[in-house]
Amino acid sequence: MSRISNAIGEAVIHVRFAGRSFDLPMAQLDLGLGSRDEQIKRAVAQNLEVQFARLADYTVDRHANGNLTLRPQAVFG
């Protein structure tokens, strides 16, 4: 897996929302490696200026390199 990071090597959250993908530095959102899923979703929702409910069902994937991915739940079947 390639490392997702910004120019200075800080951990980032890769967000998939409303058909777009982008990276947000965790420090910019005042989040750390120990942040709970709800804290992450609330911080991203605030950054996107959307209600928390829009991200409540999203999944947080944690990667070994410290980065996170916030994405919609996968639907199978």
Side-chain angles (χ1 to χ4, degrees), residues 8-35:
I8 57 176
E10 295 176 338
V12 298
I13 302 172
H14 180 72
V15 180
R16 296 183 191 140
F17 179 74
R20 300 179 321 178
S21 294
F22 48 91
D23 295 335
L24 297 171
M26 288 178 61
Q28 175 183 321
L29 301 176
D30 199 26
L31 297 170
L33 296 177
S35 297

Side-chain angles (χ1 to χ4, degrees), residues 4-69:
I4 303 170
S5 63
N6 64 12
I8 57 176
E10 295 176 338
V12 298
I13 302 172
H14 180 72
V15 180
R16 296 183 191 140
F17 179 74
R20 300 179 321 178
S21 294
F22 48 91
D23 295 335
L24 297 171
M26 288 178 61
Q28 175 183 321
L29 301 176
D30 199 26
L31 297 170
L33 296 177
S35 297
R36 296 183 324 271
D37 289 2
E38 183 177 336
Q39 290 174 301
I40 294 163
K41 294 174 191 180
R42 287 192 184 282
V44 172
Q46 184 176 15
N47 183 271
L48 297 175
E49 299 179 350
V50 299
Q51 292 185 355
F52 169 75
R54 302 249 338 247
L55 300 177
D57 292 333
Y58 274 48
T59 298
V60 177
D61 295 325
R62 297 173 189 277
H63 306 289
N65 62 7
N67 293 327
L68 305 174
T69 300

